[in-house]
Amino acid sequence: RLSLSRQTRQTDTILVKKQTHPPTHPHLCREIFAISALTLTGGIIYGYYHFQDEVPYTKRKRLLLTSPQHELTMGHNQYKQLTQFHKKDILPSHHRASVTVHRVGSRLASSTKTFMKQYHSSSSADADFYNKPFTYTIIQSDQVNAFVLPGNHIFVYTGLFQYIQNEDELAAVLGHEMAHVLARHGGERLSGNVHMTLFGRLLWWIDPSLLLYSIFVPAVKVLRELPHSREHEVEADHIGLVLASEACFDPRAAKRVFG
């Protein structure tokens, strides 16, 4: 009898424990999923309009998640790293190549102010971004290249002068690089990377096997990054022509440089 009584109490205890678990309600799960989906959709719509930006002159609409201050900080850090890395190869300011680049660049820099007044209504938030003076770093190298960093830091490799015949053609190159800054292409590329990272994590959450992710990565390269990069270059060409013309350089020289 004592054994039977113990078994009965144990059975009753198990039944009580089982009854303490809350019952599952499928409709509640569906409601939670629906609320989450609506919240996510609302956030996406809000973000799309809140972070929408317009490129000066071309009026192209794009999403821009980065702030001007963040881009300035990023460009300044890269500038310090590159100048330190190329420290032994940077030409002095009195070198003929440096003097020429500074002279042409100064005229173009003046035209950027006119350009921004005409094609962009700068707010107090990004005024500091566009009003930064341009710096010109000339690097002794056979490499044929020129590029710009956020914060108006322009780098020119001396290998470029093998193909530049006059100041009009140099103005085409420098105007093109300045246009990348005015259009904030660096911030746009960074914003695109954020979009793709978030979407990639979403795919990883949906498919832990990473099959969808393995398809997603090369597809982004072909369908988005390459065409987007080309779009930036064409846009910089157009804005660069406006800058060169405003600075009284011959814009037809761009055709000889870029083909």
Side-chain angles (χ1 to χ4, degrees):
R1 291 181 181 177
L2 182 60
S3 176
L4 181 61
S5 177
R6 288 178 177 175
Q7 292 178 356
T8 302
R9 286 198 299 271
Q10 290 175 354
T11 304
D12 293 341
T13 302
I14 294 173
L15 290 175
V16 170
K17 289 183 178 179
K18 288 183 177 180
Q19 291 175 357
T20 57
H21 291 287
T24 304
H25 298 290
H27 68 279
L28 181 61
C29 295
R30 289 194 296 268
E31 289 179 1
I32 294 175
F33 178 80
I35 292 174
S36 301
L38 288 173
T39 302
L40 178 61
T41 303
I44 292 174
I45 294 174
Y46 170 79
Y48 177 80
Y49 287 100
H50 180 74
F51 293 105
Q52 194 174 74
D53 186 73
E54 185 177 85
V55 180
Y57 184 71
T58 65
K59 304 300 181 182
R60 177 176 61 86
K61 302 288 186 180
R62 72 311 185 43
L63 291 181
L64 201 58
L65 303 180
T66 56
S67 67
Q69 187 58 46
H70 176 73
E71 294 173 36
L72 284 176
T73 302
M74 179 181 65
H76 183 63
N77 290 337
Q78 291 179 330
Y79 172 74
K80 290 193 296 184
Q81 293 172 6
L82 286 172
T83 51
Q84 182 63 31
F85 180 78
H86 294 289
K87 186 176 181 179
K88 296 180 180 180
D89 299 318
I90 296 177
L91 297 181
S93 59
H94 61 267
H95 192 279
R96 181 181 177 183
S98 298
V99 172
T100 302
V101 170
H102 278 78
R103 181 172 60 251
V104 174
S106 296
R107 289 171 58 182
L108 289 167
S110 298
S111 70
T112 62
K113 294 179 173 56
T114 304
F115 175 88
M116 294 307 292
K117 289 180 181 179
Q118 184 174 358
Y119 296 107
H120 180 67
S121 55
S122 298
S123 63
S124 58
D126 58 7
D128 188 50
F129 179 85
Y130 293 111
N131 292 332
K132 288 287 183 182
F134 281 90
T135 66
Y136 309 95
T137 304
I138 319 304
I139 300 174
Q140 182 70 46
S141 171
D142 292 334
Q143 186 175 349
V144 182
N145 192 23
F147 63 91
V148 66
L149 298 176
N152 298 346
H153 301 296
I154 293 180
F155 287 77
V156 178
Y157 292 88
T158 55
L160 183 68
F161 292 106
Q162 300 176 21
Y163 301 91
I164 298 296
Q165 300 178 3
N166 52 55
E167 292 190 359
D168 290 320
E169 294 182 359
L170 179 60
V173 175
L174 297 182
H176 176 94
E177 300 305 328
M178 290 179 176
H180 280 306
V181 173
L182 299 181
R184 292 180 63 187
H185 286 157
E188 188 176 353
R189 285 192 296 271
L190 185 60
S191 299
N193 293 338
V194 173
H195 296 155
M196 296 304 102
T197 299
L198 293 176
F199 193 70
R201 290 184 177 181
L202 178 62
L203 289 180
W204 175 80
W205 181 72
I206 295 173
D207 178 25
S209 70
L210 299 182
L211 176 61
L212 291 177
Y213 186 80
S214 64
I215 299 173
F216 168 73
V217 172
V220 167
K221 186 74 174 178
V222 174
L223 300 178
R224 183 189 180 280
E225 291 184 4
L226 294 179
H228 211 54
S229 177
R230 180 56 185 165
E231 185 177 37
H232 286 179
E233 294 304 315
V234 172
E235 201 165 55
D237 286 342
H238 292 164
I239 296 176
L241 289 176
V242 176
L243 297 178
S245 298
E246 181 67 30
C248 297
F249 290 105
D250 186 359
R252 293 173 295 183
K255 186 176 182 180
R256 295 191 295 270
V257 176
F258 301 117

